[in-house]
Structures are given as structure tokens and as C-alpha cells.
Amino acid sequence: DQQVKQNSPSLSVQEGRISILNCDYTNSMFDYFLWYKKYPAEGPTFLISISSIKDKNEDGRFTVFLNKSAKHLSLHIVPSQPGDSAVYFCAAMRGFGGSQGNLIFGKGTKLSVKP
Amino acid sequence: KAGVTQTPRYLIKTRGQQVTLSCSPISGHRSVSWYQQTPGQGLQFLFEYFSETQRNKGNFPGRFSGRQFSNSRSEMNVSTLELGDSALYLCASSLGSANTEAFFGQGTRLTVV
């Protein structure tokens, strides 16, 4: 049973426009959410995170929105650049007891930004 | 500061053999986690070590094991390799406290033939 779902396997966006990547989760115990970017044959690179006590976190061109009632989060990239083309993973964790717990990943969305 | 270092980057093994992968975390990080990435299953959590103790474990068979040393470096071992163990194995390090980010190494690509 997938606890973190990224229902769009791929997304294509024109350079300069907004990219919106979506993620849904089922476990209400998750209290910390992260987005990672991954290029082929490399490890995931941390992008941005959000705690469940917030509904928005912004870092430069990247903004993550969290809707706890809908168990939904999204990553907005504005403006999109060709270098943003990669696979984006949504991940969730339970921060109980100081443990990293484990990161539960979605299956990823491949973003292609066309010049 | 140096990132997470995994060695080797690539490995080819035959069925039935065993393999050991190594991970050096970011200096000061006490938590090391291991993940398996395959095309069909995505990123799946194997186990987490914190201060030389296994703190969390995913749903993998006992052929997959690990350990952590006093300097926080970690090794992962897979015994009796199967073809289905072919994957990218990723190590992530973090401070280990609640709500902190994990930083990944470049991974070890294991091919079992």
C-alpha cells in the first residue's frame, strides 16, 4: 500500500512557466515532508522541506504548499528552467522520538522543461 | 564540507556471492540510512543506523544487513545475491534528530549476473 503517491509520472513545461508537481499521502502521522531532485545515476538532492505545522515554505524559485486536510502537498517552481529537468521525489517522515524514522518516497515525477 | 561518500560506485557480482557497500556520512552526522532504488519499486528504505545501533528497519529479507562504526561510517552487506538485488543502493546521512533533512550520496550501482 503506497503511503506517498505521485500520480503523474511525467510533466512537460515550457521554460519560464510554472511547474507544479503534486503529491498525496495517506498516513496522517506524517509530520515532515521533503522534496528531492534526482538526475540519472546520481543520488537525490534535497530541495525543500515543510513541517506539518506550516502550510507554505519558500526558497528562491521553489515553494512547497501543504494542505493537511486534503493530505496533499505540491511543489511550485517559478520560473522553470531547462536545468530543472530531472525526476522529483516527494518524501514523508514521522519525526517521532528524534528518529529520522524512515523516509517514505513517492515513485517520482519526471519533469521536462523545454527551451 | 564533504558530502556523503559511497564506495564503490559500480559493482558486478554473480548470483550467490555476497557484497559489502560502504558509506561515509557528512561530518557530524550520526544517522545513516540505506535505500534501494529499482525502476519498478522506486526508493525503498532498508534500515537506519544511529550511534552504532539499528534504529529502524524496512521490509527486506535478512540477507540484507548493515552496521555502523564509532566514526559513523556505515557498511551494508547483502549475502547470497539474487538477480533481483540489482539496483542502485543509496546512503543518506542526517543529524538524526526530528525533522531534519537527509543528504544522499551518489549511490552504488550493483549488477548481479
Side-chain angles (χ1 to χ4, degrees):
Chain A
D1 180 34
Q2 260 191 286
Q3 297 186 66
V4 178
K5 298 178 186 178
Q6 293 177 257
N7 291 320
S8 298
S10 63
L11 174 68
S12 184
V13 170
Q14 206 67 32
E15 181 180 4
R17 307 294 292 268
I18 184 171
S19 295
I20 300 177
L21 298 110
N22 293 304
C23 178
D24 297 294
Y25 62 95
T26 58
N27 191 335
S28 57
M29 296 297 290
F30 289 142
D31 59 5
Y32 198 61
F33 304 89
L34 307 92
W35 283 94
Y36 286 85
K37 177 169 80 170
K38 188 179 184 300
Y39 296 114
E42 292 186 11
T45 302
F46 169 74
L47 270 177
I48 191 168
S49 61
I50 188 167
S51 166
S52 60
I53 62 173
K54 295 187 175 182
D55 54 20
K56 177 183 174 181
N57 189 26
E58 194 171 349
D59 184 2
R61 296 186 299 116
F62 302 92
T63 303
V64 56
F65 295 91
L66 175 62
N67 182 334
K68 278 191 299 182
S69 60
K71 293 192 179 69
H72 176 83
L73 63 155
S74 60
L75 174 69
H76 293 211
I77 306 174
V78 183
S80 300
Q81 300 172 353
D84 295 331
S85 298
V87 177
Y88 288 77
F89 289 95
C90 167
M93 64 187 278
R94 291 167 294 177
F96 60 91
S99 167
Q100 183 185 344
N102 60 81
L103 282 174
I104 308 296
F105 282 88
K107 297 210 171 183
T109 296
K110 184 175 182 180
L111 174 65
S112 299
V113 180
K114 301 189 183 308
Chain B
K1 57 183 174 183
V4 180
T5 304
Q6 289 188 248
T7 56
R9 288 294 309 278
Y10 303 94
L11 263 180
I12 299 177
K13 291 284 189 178
T14 56
R15 276 184 303 174
Q17 286 187 310
Q18 69 94 26
V19 67
T20 299
L21 312 181
S22 180
C23 173
S24 293
I26 292 171
S27 177
H29 283 191
R30 295 167 64 190
S31 168
V32 174
S33 295
W34 290 88
Y35 293 83
Q36 181 195 65
Q37 186 186 19
T38 57
Q41 297 298 321
L43 277 153
Q44 292 190 290
F45 172 74
L46 280 154
F47 30 65
E48 180 206 7
Y49 285 87
F50 181 84
S51 293
E52 302 178 64
T53 301
Q54 188 179 86
R55 190 160 69 167
N56 285 286
K57 189 176 188 303
N59 190 26
F60 277 79
R63 299 186 296 108
F64 293 81
S65 63
R67 59 178 176 168
Q68 187 180 35
F69 302 94
S70 58
N71 62 357
S72 293
R73 190 177 72 85
S74 177
E75 287 182 347
M76 189 191 100
N77 186 76
V78 188
S79 62
T80 320
L81 283 165
E82 300 176 0
L83 295 178
D85 297 332
S86 295
L88 180 67
Y89 289 88
L90 291 159
C91 162
S93 84
S94 76
L95 291 170
S97 51
N99 295 353
T100 56
E101 296 77 30
F103 297 88
F104 284 82
Q106 290 192 296
T108 295
R109 170 69 64 184
L110 171 65
T111 302
V112 182
V113 297

PDB file of all heavy atoms in Angstrom, chain A residues 62-75:
ATOM      1  N   PHE A  62      11.565  27.922  -5.567  1.00  0.00           N
ATOM      2  CA  PHE A  62      10.820  26.735  -5.117  1.00  0.00           C
ATOM      3  C   PHE A  62       9.915  27.082  -3.940  1.00  0.00           C
ATOM      4  O   PHE A  62      10.352  27.692  -2.963  1.00  0.00           O
ATOM      5  CB  PHE A  62      11.798  25.629  -4.706  1.00  0.00           C
ATOM      6  CG  PHE A  62      12.732  25.210  -5.806  1.00  0.00           C
ATOM      7  CD1 PHE A  62      13.981  25.798  -5.955  1.00  0.00           C
ATOM      8  CD2 PHE A  62      12.360  24.227  -6.708  1.00  0.00           C
ATOM      9  CE1 PHE A  62      14.840  25.425  -6.974  1.00  0.00           C
ATOM     10  CE2 PHE A  62      13.214  23.843  -7.740  1.00  0.00           C
ATOM     11  CZ  PHE A  62      14.449  24.441  -7.865  1.00  0.00           C
ATOM     12  N   THR A  63       8.664  26.669  -4.052  1.00  0.00           N
ATOM     13  CA  THR A  63       7.697  26.840  -2.965  1.00  0.00           C
ATOM     14  C   THR A  63       6.962  25.527  -2.776  1.00  0.00           C
ATOM     15  O   THR A  63       6.512  24.920  -3.750  1.00  0.00           O
ATOM     16  CB  THR A  63       6.681  27.945  -3.283  1.00  0.00           C
ATOM     17  OG1 THR A  63       7.380  29.172  -3.544  1.00  0.00           O
ATOM     18  CG2 THR A  63       5.731  28.158  -2.106  1.00  0.00           C
ATOM     19  N   VAL A  64       6.851  25.105  -1.536  1.00  0.00           N
ATOM     20  CA  VAL A  64       6.072  23.907  -1.239  1.00  0.00           C
ATOM     21  C   VAL A  64       4.838  24.329  -0.449  1.00  0.00           C
ATOM     22  O   VAL A  64       4.920  25.144   0.469  1.00  0.00           O
ATOM     23  CB  VAL A  64       6.902  22.844  -0.483  1.00  0.00           C
ATOM     24  CG1 VAL A  64       7.511  23.392   0.787  1.00  0.00           C
ATOM     25  CG2 VAL A  64       6.069  21.614  -0.188  1.00  0.00           C
ATOM     26  N   PHE A  65       3.700  23.791  -0.847  1.00  0.00           N
ATOM     27  CA  PHE A  65       2.424  24.048  -0.183  1.00  0.00           C
ATOM     28  C   PHE A  65       1.928  22.745   0.431  1.00  0.00           C
ATOM     29  O   PHE A  65       2.013  21.692  -0.188  1.00  0.00           O
ATOM     30  CB  PHE A  65       1.384  24.556  -1.196  1.00  0.00           C
ATOM     31  CG  PHE A  65       1.708  25.883  -1.793  1.00  0.00           C
ATOM     32  CD1 PHE A  65       2.433  25.968  -2.978  1.00  0.00           C
ATOM     33  CD2 PHE A  65       1.300  27.064  -1.180  1.00  0.00           C
ATOM     34  CE1 PHE A  65       2.743  27.197  -3.547  1.00  0.00           C
ATOM     35  CE2 PHE A  65       1.605  28.295  -1.742  1.00  0.00           C
ATOM     36  CZ  PHE A  65       2.327  28.363  -2.924  1.00  0.00           C
ATOM     37  N   LEU A  66       1.417  22.842   1.644  1.00  0.00           N
ATOM     38  CA  LEU A  66       0.881  21.672   2.323  1.00  0.00           C
ATOM     39  C   LEU A  66      -0.569  21.901   2.703  1.00  0.00           C
ATOM     40  O   LEU A  66      -0.894  22.899   3.347  1.00  0.00           O
ATOM     41  CB  LEU A  66       1.702  21.366   3.582  1.00  0.00           C
ATOM     42  CG  LEU A  66       1.197  20.239   4.477  1.00  0.00           C
ATOM     43  CD1 LEU A  66       1.201  18.904   3.725  1.00  0.00           C
ATOM     44  CD2 LEU A  66       2.039  20.133   5.737  1.00  0.00           C
ATOM     45  N   ASN A  67      -1.428  21.007   2.305  1.00  0.00           N
ATOM     46  CA  ASN A  67      -2.839  21.025   2.672  1.00  0.00           C
ATOM     47  C   ASN A  67      -3.103  19.777   3.494  1.00  0.00           C
ATOM     48  O   ASN A  67      -3.333  18.691   2.952  1.00  0.00           O
ATOM     49  CB  ASN A  67      -3.714  21.061   1.409  1.00  0.00           C
ATOM     50  CG  ASN A  67      -5.197  21.142   1.740  1.00  0.00           C
ATOM     51  OD1 ASN A  67      -5.638  20.708   2.800  1.00  0.00           O
ATOM     52  ND2 ASN A  67      -5.972  21.698   0.823  1.00  0.00           N
ATOM     53  N   LYS A  68      -3.046  19.920   4.811  1.00  0.00           N
ATOM     54  CA  LYS A  68      -3.162  18.753   5.686  1.00  0.00           C
ATOM     55  C   LYS A  68      -4.531  18.110   5.630  1.00  0.00           C
ATOM     56  O   LYS A  68      -4.642  16.892   5.698  1.00  0.00           O
ATOM     57  CB  LYS A  68      -2.832  19.150   7.129  1.00  0.00           C
ATOM     58  CG  LYS A  68      -1.362  19.200   7.425  1.00  0.00           C
ATOM     59  CD  LYS A  68      -1.093  19.336   8.904  1.00  0.00           C
ATOM     60  CE  LYS A  68      -1.682  20.616   9.432  1.00  0.00           C
ATOM     61  NZ  LYS A  68      -1.407  20.810  10.889  1.00  0.00           N
ATOM     62  N   SER A  69      -5.572  18.907   5.516  1.00  0.00           N
ATOM     63  CA  SER A  69      -6.914  18.329   5.489  1.00  0.00           C
ATOM     64  C   SER A  69      -7.100  17.446   4.262  1.00  0.00           C
ATOM     65  O   SER A  69      -7.786  16.434   4.313  1.00  0.00           O
ATOM     66  CB  SER A  69      -7.975  19.430   5.535  1.00  0.00           C
ATOM     67  OG  SER A  69      -7.836  20.288   4.418  1.00  0.00           O
ATOM     68  N   ALA A  70      -6.467  17.828   3.164  1.00  0.00           N
ATOM     69  CA  ALA A  70      -6.564  17.036   1.936  1.00  0.00           C
ATOM     70  C   ALA A  70      -5.435  16.018   1.832  1.00  0.00           C
ATOM     71  O   ALA A  70      -5.400  15.225   0.885  1.00  0.00           O
ATOM     72  CB  ALA A  70      -6.550  17.953   0.720  1.00  0.00           C
ATOM     73  N   LYS A  71      -4.498  16.053   2.765  1.00  0.00           N
ATOM     74  CA  LYS A  71      -3.307  15.195   2.720  1.00  0.00           C
ATOM     75  C   LYS A  71      -2.623  15.332   1.352  1.00  0.00           C
ATOM     76  O   LYS A  71      -2.349  14.350   0.647  1.00  0.00           O
ATOM     77  CB  LYS A  71      -3.657  13.737   3.000  1.00  0.00           C
ATOM     78  CG  LYS A  71      -4.145  13.471   4.418  1.00  0.00           C
ATOM     79  CD  LYS A  71      -4.182  11.981   4.702  1.00  0.00           C
ATOM     80  CE  LYS A  71      -4.634  11.680   6.108  1.00  0.00           C
ATOM     81  NZ  LYS A  71      -6.052  11.983   6.331  1.00  0.00           N
ATOM     82  N   HIS A  72      -2.338  16.570   1.024  1.00  0.00           N
ATOM     83  CA  HIS A  72      -1.798  16.877  -0.293  1.00  0.00           C
ATOM     84  C   HIS A  72      -0.722  17.943  -0.163  1.00  0.00           C
ATOM     85  O   HIS A  72      -0.855  18.889   0.597  1.00  0.00           O
ATOM     86  CB  HIS A  72      -2.926  17.402  -1.201  1.00  0.00           C
ATOM     87  CG  HIS A  72      -2.458  17.830  -2.551  1.00  0.00           C
ATOM     88  ND1 HIS A  72      -2.272  16.950  -3.591  1.00  0.00           N
ATOM     89  CD2 HIS A  72      -2.111  19.061  -3.024  1.00  0.00           C
ATOM     90  CE1 HIS A  72      -1.841  17.619  -4.648  1.00  0.00           C
ATOM     91  NE2 HIS A  72      -1.738  18.899  -4.337  1.00  0.00           N
ATOM     92  N   LEU A  73       0.359  17.732  -0.903  1.00  0.00           N
ATOM     93  CA  LEU A  73       1.350  18.801  -0.993  1.00  0.00           C
ATOM     94  C   LEU A  73       1.769  18.979  -2.445  1.00  0.00           C
ATOM     95  O   LEU A  73       1.587  18.071  -3.277  1.00  0.00           O
ATOM     96  CB  LEU A  73       2.566  18.569  -0.093  1.00  0.00           C
ATOM     97  CG  LEU A  73       3.493  17.401  -0.296  1.00  0.00           C
ATOM     98  CD1 LEU A  73       4.860  17.745   0.280  1.00  0.00           C
ATOM     99  CD2 LEU A  73       2.970  16.173   0.442  1.00  0.00           C
ATOM    100  N   SER A  74       2.272  20.173  -2.726  1.00  0.00           N
ATOM    101  CA  SER A  74       2.690  20.461  -4.087  1.00  0.00           C
ATOM    102  C   SER A  74       3.972  21.282  -4.058  1.00  0.00           C
ATOM    103  O   SER A  74       4.238  22.016  -3.103  1.00  0.00           O
ATOM    104  CB  SER A  74       1.592  21.196  -4.856  1.00  0.00           C
ATOM    105  OG  SER A  74       1.288  22.417  -4.238  1.00  0.00           O
ATOM    106  N   LEU A  75       4.749  21.107  -5.096  1.00  0.00           N
ATOM    107  CA  LEU A  75       5.986  21.862  -5.283  1.00  0.00           C
ATOM    108  C   LEU A  75       5.801  22.743  -6.508  1.00  0.00           C
ATOM    109  O   LEU A  75       5.456  22.244  -7.583  1.00  0.00           O
ATOM    110  CB  LEU A  75       7.172  20.918  -5.491  1.00  0.00           C
ATOM    111  CG  LEU A  75       8.500  21.589  -5.842  1.00  0.00           C
ATOM    112  CD1 LEU A  75       9.034  22.377  -4.654  1.00  0.00           C
ATOM    113  CD2 LEU A  75       9.539  20.548  -6.279  1.00  0.00           C
TER     114      LEU A  75
END
